[in-house]
Structure formats: C-alpha cells, structure tokens
Amino acid sequence: MDLELSGRVAVVTGASKGIGLAVARTLADEGAYVVAASRTPVDAKATHVAVDLMDPQAPARVIARAVEEYGGVDILVNNAGGPPPGVTLPRVGFMTPGDADWQAMFEFNLFSAVRMIRAAVPVMIERGGGSIVNISSGSARQPGAMNVDYGAAKAALNHVGKAVSEEFGAQGIRVNTISPGPVLTHWWTKEGGAAEVIGGMAGASKEDIVARVAPDMMKLVTGRLVHPQEIADMVALLASPRSASTTGAEFAIDGGFLKEL
C-alpha cells in the first residue's frame, strides 16, 4: 500500500534509538525527507539536528532547520520522552520523586512536545496542513505507584493532543496519539536500565525480566514486550494522507496492557 509519504518532510524527536530510530527509518523508507532531532547521531537516512530538548529554545531550532533544508514541515512525531537525561526509571512510590524530579519529567515529556507543536503549527498551516503524532504511554491511563510523575506528564500530553486537534483541525492539521506499552528498547536492556532495576527487586536476571517477568507483571496478553517497529508502522499510517479522517484519536499498541473499555 502506498502511504503517499514520498517527498513529505517529517521531523522526528528522540530519533537516535528505540522507537524514534524505527520511526525515522520507516518514514525515510517510505520516501519522506526526515529531520531527526536527538542529542546523539542517528543511524538512518536523515538530516540530523543535534539538540537537547531540555533546552526551551531547541524545538524552534529543529523546525527552523527543517524549513531551511526542505522548505517546511508536513509531519511532526513527538517521540522524545521517558527518563530525562541522567535519570533512571523505574521509581517506586509517590513520595520518591521530589519537586526537581517532577519538573524535569514534565520538561522532557510534556513541555518539549508543547514547544515542538508551537513551532510546527504555523509552518504546517502555511503548507495547508500536516500530521502530528505524539508518542504517549499506557501509563497515562493506568495510574499506579510506579513512575507516577511520568504517567502524569503523559496524561497531560494526551490532553494537549486532543486540544490541538480540535483547535487546528479546520486548518488541515491532524493530531493523534500512540500509547505504547512496554517496548523492547535500550531503556529496558542497557546496563543499569529498567530490566536490571526490576531484576534487583525481583531477584531475577535481566534476560528473565525481559522475556518473562515484565510481561507477566504487566499482564501482557501477547506474552512479550512490544517491538519498536510495531510503533513505527502505526506512526507511518497516521502520518499518511490515507488517515485523513483520523484526528484526536489515541491508539494503544501495548500487547494488551490496558484492560479498560
């Protein structure tokens, strides 16, 4: 199926690894011009913009680079998120994160996306519209004692996506949200990452956490963590003009993590 993405300009944040890298590669494979924003280089066919999205000025620089290189922006994928730089998750208990932790979590997972959208919307309007895809989390709708600050930031991102889709839909801008469950990325597998942290709590090896304990703990009906490419494929579809009537929607790609109707 032709997704009609050839020649379109896509900005992807957090594009150096995991979901973001899979998204950047997939959009490039579909013929899009990709501007990849990340702190480290990107192993994909893309124009790399080296930025730290904790810097409030960074989003405007990324969009300006896309305009300079390709004349505009048609697609924005707000993928950057998760633990802020230098932070290790999971954190257990509401009392664990302090004010600085909450502020950093919202800065990285909410405000960076807000600023990217703010910078991209006028450019998209000039081109007659565009597609924004926000990468949220199942934690936004599944509150619990683990990573409460992260879940709260993602819940706010869901709200922003709905609000922007409503305000700018008549001007051709679609905004949709993808809520992944646990995805098999570097965040889980790196040294000192989530698998090792949970393994220390559960008395299990990193490999066993990834293969069995985490899927069981999160009651994943598929019995495995989500693959980054599965998220990237949905991003490509939502970015495509073939999804022209899809806006303000949220899609759970989570192996059955969310149980609610």
Side-chain angles (χ1 to χ4, degrees), residues 25-241:
R25 287 173 171 170
T26 299
L27 294 179
D29 287 346
E30 290 293 329
Y33 298 114
V34 177
V35 176
S38 62
R39 289 178 294 156
T40 56
V42 175
D43 183 17
K45 185 179 177 182
T47 297
H48 181 236
V49 184
V51 290
D52 182 350
L53 291 176
M54 296 292 280
D55 174 4
Q57 306 306 315
R61 291 200 299 270
V62 174
I63 298 301
R65 180 68 181 278
V67 173
E68 177 187 347
E69 291 284 334
Y70 302 112
V73 175
D74 303 299
I75 300 160
L76 169 62
V77 183
N78 281 312
N79 167 73
V87 173
T88 297
L89 296 181
R91 283 191 294 229
V92 179
F94 173 76
M95 302 297 286
T96 301
D99 281 4
D101 299 314
W102 278 86
Q103 289 163 359
M105 190 65 72
F106 269 69
E107 190 72 37
F108 194 47
N109 287 277
L110 176 64
F111 298 146
S112 68
V114 167
R115 293 173 184 132
M116 289 297 308
I117 295 170
R118 188 186 293 143
V121 161
V123 176
M124 287 182 169
I125 289 174
E126 286 184 5
R127 288 166 74 88
S131 173
I132 298 172
V133 182
N134 294 326
I135 306 299
S136 182
S137 169
S139 298
R141 295 199 288 123
Q142 187 66 50
M146 185 177 289
N147 303 330
V148 61
D149 49 345
Y150 171 72
K154 290 300 192 181
L157 180 62
N158 289 7
H159 181 102
V160 168
K162 284 275 192 180
V164 175
S165 73
E166 180 70 18
E167 181 173 356
F168 294 103
Q171 293 168 277
I173 295 178
R174 299 184 297 109
V175 188
N176 293 289
T177 298
I178 296 175
S179 293
V183 181
L184 186 57
T185 64
H186 186 62
W187 184 81
W188 278 90
T189 59
K190 68 181 180 180
E191 184 176 350
E196 286 192 5
V197 173
I198 295 172
M201 300 175 187
S205 69
K206 178 168 68 175
E207 293 74 20
D208 201 30
I209 292 294
V210 169
R212 182 185 59 81
V213 176
D216 288 350
M217 180 177 67
M218 298 183 180
K219 299 181 173 61
L220 304 184
V221 297
T222 58
R224 63 168 176 85
L225 303 189
V226 180
H227 295 155
Q229 188 62 49
E230 294 171 311
I231 309 298
D233 290 343
M234 179 58 82
V235 170
L237 181 59
L238 291 174
S240 167

